[in-house]
């Protein structure tokens, strides 16, 4: 069995609020040709294009920001996570401002958007980044690594000095378990005090209980509470999947994150791409994977795949 590249079947639009600007943003997703990858287009800047690849990452402090010549698109990670999960290789995303809409703070609205657009298979083979040797990046007590594996596995450990979050560990083998079920609904989270100080800097103007889990003191302010008992660590996994997709290809390997964030994920991607001592491209996964391997995009999205 070969695995083929995909794009979407037809254009779709969605509008939502920008987390930092507080303004409405409309995105339009469009089919893109084979081997073209994921490209963001700033409609408001004369169709300025920015490829979603790690060398275009320009800021990782509050979210993953890609840019070129000073033109940026902020908060691409949740959208990239949905694309990775559904195995979308080629896509154009038109945006009419400097950031992606935050939607509900998770990636499920983007999963629905792509489902609405439908997925189209090309006859060109998908290229994977197969990790051959361990790569690790450390920064004080934070750490990320990629290890050889026959599947795409992710694990994450977080440790917040806060009783509602505390230490959380979660791991998932995405060839066996559904991203949509287990990861996609996990929302971003923050502390009310931080939101207030960000607002003084004109940031997080669109942040609300509609697009984040917000903690104040020892309480979760969202009326309906959490979507998963360990929603925080699941969101970190959602973020990592999105950040890793800036490698430009899906990974066959095992990622683990220890108290890490966008910054280390981005450095990890740069280190991978800087040297091919650690990885190789593969096109025919069945030569490398064990027989049980089932790329998770196929298990998740086969029901709405369309023939090429
Ligand atoms: Zn996030």
């Amino acid at each position: 069995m070969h695995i083929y590249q995909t794009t979407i079947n037809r254009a779709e639009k969605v509008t939502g609020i920008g987390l930092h600007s507080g303004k409405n943003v409309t995105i339009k997703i469009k089919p893109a040709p084979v081997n073209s990858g994921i490209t963001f287009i700033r409609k408001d800047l004369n169709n300025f294009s920015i490829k979603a690849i790690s060398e275009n990452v320009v800021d990782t402090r509050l979210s993953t920001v890609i840019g070129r010549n000073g033109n940026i698109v902020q908060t691409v990670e949740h959208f990239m996570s949905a694309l990775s999960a559904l195995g979308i290789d080629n896509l154009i995303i038109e945006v009419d401002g400097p950031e992606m809409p935050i939607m509900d703070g998770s990636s499920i609205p983007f999963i629905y958007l792509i489902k609405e657009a439908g997925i189209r298979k090309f006859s060109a083979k998908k290229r994977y980044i197969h990790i051959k040797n361990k790569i690790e990046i450390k920064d004080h007590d934070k750490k990320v690594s990629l290890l050889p594996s026959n599947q795409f596995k992710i694990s994450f450990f977080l440790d917040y000095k806060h009783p509602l979050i505390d230490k959380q560990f979660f791991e998932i083998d995405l060839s066996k378990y559904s991203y949509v079920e287990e990861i996609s609904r996990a929302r971003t989270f923050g502390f009310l005090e931080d939101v207030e100080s960000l607002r003084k800097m004109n940031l997080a103007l669109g942040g609300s209980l509609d697009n984040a889990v917000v903690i104040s003191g020892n309480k979760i302010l969202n009326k309906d509470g959490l979507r998963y008992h360990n929603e925080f660590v699941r969101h970190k996994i959602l973020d990592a999947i999105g950040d890793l997709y800036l490698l430009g290809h899906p990974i066959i390997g095992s990622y683990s994150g220890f108290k890490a964030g966008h910054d280390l994920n981005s450095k990890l991607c740069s280190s991978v791409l800087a040297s091919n001592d650690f990885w190789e491209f593969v096109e025919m996964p069945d030569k490398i994977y064990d027989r049980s391997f089932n790329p998770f995009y196929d298990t998740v999205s086969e029901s709405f795949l369309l023939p090429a």
Side-chain angles (χ1 to χ4, degrees):
M1 182 186 75
H2 291 138
I3 300 183
Y4 297 97
Q5 291 186 34
T6 62
T7 187
I8 54 167
N9 198 38
R10 61 175 174 275
E12 283 293 337
K13 264 191 207 180
V14 73
T15 299
I17 198 164
L19 177 63
H20 292 304
S21 67
K23 291 181 181 151
N24 270 340
V25 193
T26 298
I27 61 166
K28 185 175 186 183
I29 56 171
K30 291 171 149 183
V34 88
N35 294 324
S36 63
I38 310 299
T39 309
F40 287 79
I41 305 269
R42 283 283 303 268
K43 275 312 266 185
D44 56 323
L45 294 177
N46 231 339
N47 293 332
F48 188 87
S49 72
I50 306 164
K51 274 205 94 169
I53 47 173
S54 78
E55 66 181 72
N56 285 336
V57 171
V58 293
D59 191 349
T60 51
R61 286 169 298 176
L62 296 172
S63 69
T64 299
V65 182
I66 55 168
R68 207 163 57 79
N69 300 350
N71 300 321
I72 59 165
V73 180
Q74 286 174 288
T75 322
V76 298
E77 63 272 19
H78 302 164
F79 185 75
M80 292 302 289
S81 188
L83 295 184
S84 173
L86 295 178
I88 305 294
D89 303 283
N90 307 290
L91 191 74
I92 288 164
I93 310 102
E94 294 178 350
V95 197
D96 64 356
E99 64 179 326
M100 289 292 283
I102 188 69
M103 310 310 288
D104 70 347
S106 79
S107 66
I108 191 76
F110 297 131
I111 296 276
Y112 286 133
L113 181 71
I114 296 157
K115 186 167 180 173
E116 205 51 46
I119 297 173
R120 177 173 292 275
K121 266 187 196 178
F122 289 112
S123 53
K125 286 171 198 160
K126 195 189 275 280
R127 288 174 96 197
Y128 291 81
I129 287 181
H130 175 229
I131 303 296
K132 293 191 298 181
N133 294 303
K134 182 180 176 177
I135 314 161
E136 186 171 81
I137 309 283
K138 283 185 189 171
D139 178 16
H140 299 89
D141 62 338
K142 299 173 183 166
K143 195 164 73 178
V144 287
S145 61
L146 280 169
L147 283 161
S149 165
N150 286 342
Q151 281 90 19
F152 183 36
K153 285 187 198 162
I154 303 252
S155 71
F156 205 96
F157 175 84
L158 62 71
D159 185 6
Y160 273 68
K161 303 274 170 282
H162 190 282
L164 280 179
I165 307 179
D166 198 25
K167 295 178 173 61
Q168 294 189 357
F169 175 79
F170 191 65
E171 65 182 329
I172 184 164
D173 175 346
L174 288 164
S175 63
K176 295 197 176 73
Y177 294 93
S178 162
Y179 171 96
V180 175
E181 296 296 320
E182 304 292 337
I183 303 294
S184 73
R185 296 189 309 117
R187 291 161 296 175
T188 191
F189 55 93
F191 299 92
L192 189 64
E193 303 72 39
D194 295 342
V195 176
E196 283 163 356
S197 57
L198 285 169
R199 288 209 172 140
K200 288 192 186 124
M201 298 184 283
N202 256 344
L203 295 165
L205 298 176
S208 78
L209 296 172
D210 293 333
N211 51 43
V213 178
V214 182
I215 298 164
S216 175
N218 280 343
K219 275 214 314 252
I220 289 173
L221 299 183
N222 306 65
K223 188 162 79 355
D224 297 328
L226 296 176
R227 293 176 174 177
Y228 306 95
H229 75 279
N230 56 357
E231 187 167 352
F232 307 108
V233 71
R234 289 185 198 231
H235 186 78
K236 298 297 278 186
I237 288 179
L238 185 158
D239 279 342
I241 292 170
D243 286 341
L244 288 173
Y245 207 40
L246 292 167
L247 286 169
H249 297 269
I251 287 181
I252 303 166
S254 174
Y255 164 95
S256 68
F258 186 87
K259 299 163 78 168
H262 302 302
D263 174 43
L264 282 194
N265 289 340
S266 171
K267 286 181 177 144
L268 181 66
C269 289
S270 309
S271 305
V272 170
L273 296 177
S275 160
N276 40 23
D277 292 348
F278 302 112
W279 61 278
E280 62 186 353
F281 274 127
V282 292
E283 281 186 345
M284 293 167 64
D286 47 339
K287 280 200 173 160
I288 285 173
Y289 303 159
D290 62 40
R291 295 189 126 212
S292 64
F293 183 83
N294 192 355
F296 67 118
Y297 89 91
D298 264 1
T299 59
V300 171
S301 61
E302 198 60 63
S303 59
F304 51 94
L305 274 171
L306 294 169

